[in-house]
Amino acid sequence: MNKSGVEDVELALEIRCALGESPVWDPRSDELVWVDIRSGHVHWWTPRAPTARSLQVGNTVSAIAPRRAGGYVLGTRSGFAVLDSAGSFALMAEVEADRPVNRMNDGKVDPRGRFWAGTMAETDEPGAGSLYRLDLDGSVARVVDGVTISNGLGWSPDSTTMYYVDSLAHSLDAFDFVVETGEVRQRRVLAEVPSAMGLPDGLTVDEQGYIWVALHSGGAVHRYSPDGRLDTRIELPVALVTSCTFAGPEYKDLYITTAVDPERDEHLAGSVFVHRPRVSGMPGPLCES
Ligand code: CA
């Protein structure tokens, strides 16, 4: 038995993130980068180092991705933002300024380098959020509306399908994706996620095109086939499993972020875990905006 207390997953880094989210590998520094939404921290960690280094950015930060021009693109309470390589924060494009109860949530870079992030009402008001695309020229397009909790995003290895989770829709959805323009069409449910299994949250896609979905309140990660079949279930020792990403120089390790549920006595909640499947992930594109 390893330190995580379960079989398929190891404790990678013991840390108490209130709401750890949006893990992404930064190939420029060989670090895992993720955020703690509630406390507004960005964390960086080199696998096997004893601790992470952290920065509080002064805004709710819900998603992060490395940026070609240096530093990172962020999803924040106020909209899309940039954290430059010196650690200074600047808002890039405001989103939903007329809805103070809304904040951005999960985000991801598409195969062409556009950054996508959605919103949610902190009251979980049904349909109050949307999914946005930050285009290469810095303009923002609202792509999907009527979203309740905008969450995981990912693309098939051939870039023709976009995967998407609105957590309170209780499903993993798919769209046809047009890589040249960033348009999406033909939304459909790929896999239903029964509420007894938790809420679908962050996701990542492996090199075989299978989709790994974190289950918030479900204490697990599910791997679905491209046609929506549940292929593998990985159990974690904490309930609030928020997101996952392939990381490490060869993208062989699946790192999993978690959150603290104040109602549960889980001493590893908020920590980062690692699962080593027999399949690798794919390098994430840098944000070109
Ligand atoms: Ca999330």
Side-chain angles (χ1 to χ4, degrees), residues 11 13 22 24 30 55 64 83 95 101 114 124 132 143 150 152 165 180 210 232 238 281:
L11 176 64
L13 174 70
S22 187
V24 62
D30 283 347
L55 175 74
I64 188 163
L83 187 67
V95 166
V101 77
R114 308 172 192 96
D124 293 346
Y132 296 88
V143 182
S150 190
V165 163
E180 292 77 19
Y210 284 58
T232 307
V238 305

Side-chain angles (χ1 to χ4, degrees), residues 154-168:
W155 286 266
S156 60
D158 67 2
S159 303
T160 62
T161 304
M162 183 174 94
Y163 300 106
Y164 181 52
V165 163
D166 174 353
S167 294
L168 289 183

Side-chain angles (χ1 to χ4, degrees), residues 193-201 213-222 233-242 256-259 261 264 266:
V193 181
S195 353
M197 289 189 149
L199 292 175
D201 198 336
V213 182
L215 297 177
H216 189 276
S217 309
V221 173
H222 279 179
R233 177 179 163 88
I234 307 298
E235 310 251 353
L236 279 99
V238 305
L240 306 190
V241 182
T242 56
I256 302 161
T257 50
T258 63
D261 181 345
R264 295 174 206 254
E266 297 175 327

